[in-house]
Amino acid sequence: MILKLNTSVHSAEAAKLAEQHKAFHISYKGSEHLITSSSVKEVPAALEGKVDQNWVFANDMQLASREFQKETREVKIGDLTIGGNSKNTILIGGPCSVESLEQIQESAQLIKSLGLTTLRGGCYKPRTSPYSFQGLGLEGLKLLAQMRKEHGLSVITEVRDATHVDEVIEHSDIIQIGAKAMYDQGILRACAKINKPVLLKRGFGSTLQEFVQAAEFILAGGNDQVILCERGIRTFETKTRFTLDLCGVAYLQEYTNLPIVLDPSHALGYRYGVEKLAKACVAMGIDGLIIEAHPDPSVAKSDAAQQLTHDQFRAMKSAIEPVANSVGYKIV
Ligand code: PEP
Ligand code: MN
């Protein structure tokens, strides 16, 4: 249940009420307070007269649901808005990992030269093997921050576990929660307390319900800027790295109010089909795409097989633009 309290209820009083009623959160913009709980199904007597509106839900999809808010939430990334009525499809690009100043500098120039705004690059890599490149850590974050300053770009980078969540929050404009970290309570709760957008990737073995519940931790903790990212799930198929769940995207668009970004790079795992997949994604009228590109993929330290060359990235952008326009969206 979600309770929207009267504006006359002050923050301290709202906190006390939430505590008393075992509700999980109070948040929100200025004077508007929401209390969310799955245990409370009726307005408690003590709250009579203090509640403006209430919603009861059959399951734990609450703040993220279209029943609670019909319109897709607006999320601001720098000067750009996605969701709401924006009809923007943000194209985020850059390497899998930040590897050197030279490499990230070239990547930033690519993004800038295409009129795009947001650069990706991992610094804490959630690798499957301890013997693979683990990322540059703080040094990488500083390189990203330098790109932000020099090129006026927004930057997105991933948090691998709760030990460095504060560092990532400090140095990036969008916090990416990686697929393997989707269930990390430390990360989810830390990201709930900040005022920056969070891109939550779907765990590759997670159901849509679990995915949205993870988003609810962030929303219910007080951060309403959550973006869902479908990046492929594991199926019986082994020829491709994962299977991009476009049915899941249709479901999320129908039932949730969160902007949706798609990641065809990690789903397919090979650069040969990324452009075609990106066209299919954009045709669904989505809020964004995140695509890996490297100045020289043959020497990339992670995800070498799937990163586009910069020429391929430029060609991909030109190819998806008319598709986005045909469904009333624009690539930004
Ligand atoms: C990445 O974006 O480079 C990454 C590791 O993604 P995922 O968490 O989806 O595997
Ligand atoms: Mn990657």
Side-chain angles (χ1 to χ4, degrees):
M1 168 175 239
I2 300 174
L3 304 171
K4 184 175 165 197
L5 301 182
N6 290 344
T7 46
S8 61
V9 182
H10 301 298
S11 302
E13 192 186 355
K16 211 168 128 208
L17 289 169
E19 180 67 32
Q20 279 167 356
H21 295 283
K22 310 250 178 307
F24 169 64
H25 109 280
I26 341 140
S27 68
Y28 272 40
K29 294 171 188 159
S31 56
E32 186 179 292
H33 293 101
L34 297 170
I35 293 185
T36 313
S37 170
S38 59
S39 51
V40 181
K41 301 280 185 208
E42 277 173 30
V43 180
L47 293 183
E48 291 289 353
K50 296 186 173 176
V51 175
D52 263 355
Q53 228 180 322
N54 70 78
W55 297 259
V56 181
F57 301 95
N59 65 35
D60 281 340
M61 198 197 292
Q62 301 202 20
L63 292 161
S65 75
R66 288 218 191 265
E67 275 176 81
F68 170 62
Q69 182 179 310
K70 200 160 163 290
E71 309 77 37
T72 303
R73 288 167 187 261
E74 272 188 9
V75 173
K76 292 233 179 313
I77 299 166
D79 295 332
L80 272 183
T81 299
I82 59 168
N85 296 320
S86 70
K87 298 273 182 188
N88 282 334
T89 301
I90 188 171
L91 174 56
I92 302 169
C96 178
S97 300
V98 177
E99 297 171 4
S100 66
L101 174 61
E102 198 184 22
Q103 174 243 21
I104 202 66
Q105 190 72 268
E106 273 190 62
S107 307
Q109 278 155 1
L110 170 76
I111 298 304
K112 193 78 192 173
S113 69
L114 288 171
L116 300 173
T117 60
T118 310
L119 175 68
R120 63 150 288 146
C123 302
Y124 292 94
K125 299 305 297 177
R127 305 307 299 276
T128 307
S129 163
Y131 309 116
S132 311
F133 175 64
Q134 305 293 306
L136 294 182
L138 185 58
E139 187 193 335
L141 288 181
K142 289 186 176 157
L143 290 175
L144 277 181
Q146 187 182 334
M147 293 308 106
R148 169 166 59 178
K149 204 161 153 209
E150 284 177 15
H151 300 276
L153 296 169
S154 298
V155 296
I156 170 168
T157 193
E158 75 206 74
V159 48
R160 184 180 60 210
D161 60 61
T163 59
H164 53 262
V165 62
D166 295 331
E167 263 172 39
V168 171
I169 289 169
E170 184 188 333
H171 291 90
S172 61
D173 302 293
I174 310 172
I175 291 80
Q176 173 178 327
I177 302 180
K180 290 174 187 152
M182 190 200 89
Y183 292 105
D184 188 312
Q185 295 279 316
I187 296 176
L188 295 174
R189 288 174 194 272
C191 286
K193 298 277 173 276
I194 58 169
N195 188 21
K196 282 189 178 182
V198 177
L199 182 126
L200 177 67
K201 286 191 151 197
R202 179 181 181 186
F204 49 75
S206 306
T207 63
L208 294 164
Q209 174 77 19
E210 289 162 344
F211 185 25
V212 179
Q213 280 168 327
E216 290 277 348
F217 269 99
I218 305 170
L219 297 167
N223 185 353
D224 63 346
Q225 303 168 76
V226 180
I227 303 162
L228 297 177
C229 179
E230 162 60 32
R231 46 76 75 209
I233 52 173
R234 184 156 279 167
T235 65
F236 52 81
E237 186 51 71
T238 55
K239 294 290 186 204
T240 57
R241 192 177 181 193
F242 295 98
T243 297
L244 188 64
D245 185 11
L246 293 185
C247 295
V249 172
Y251 170 88
L252 296 169
Q253 288 178 323
E254 183 71 15
Y255 292 103
T256 81
N257 58 37
L258 301 175
I260 299 168
V261 165
L262 270 70
D263 175 347
S265 302
H266 288 87
L268 181 60
Y270 302 97
R271 74 187 124 261
Y272 68 83
V274 168
E275 177 183 309
K276 285 181 190 160
L277 263 186
K279 285 203 249 177
C281 294
V282 161
M284 292 187 76
I286 55 165
D287 305 290
L289 275 177
I290 183 162
I291 295 191
E292 287 188 345
H294 191 287
D296 181 359
S298 69
V299 299
K301 292 186 173 167
S302 57
D303 288 348
Q306 72 196 29
Q307 301 200 55
L308 301 182
T309 64
H310 285 188
D311 281 347
Q312 286 171 330
F313 189 90
R314 285 187 204 97
M316 177 276 303
K317 178 175 181 271
S318 304
I320 62 175
E321 268 165 344
V323 181
N325 296 343
S326 75
V327 293
Y329 278 72
K330 59 182 181 305
I331 302 295
V332 292

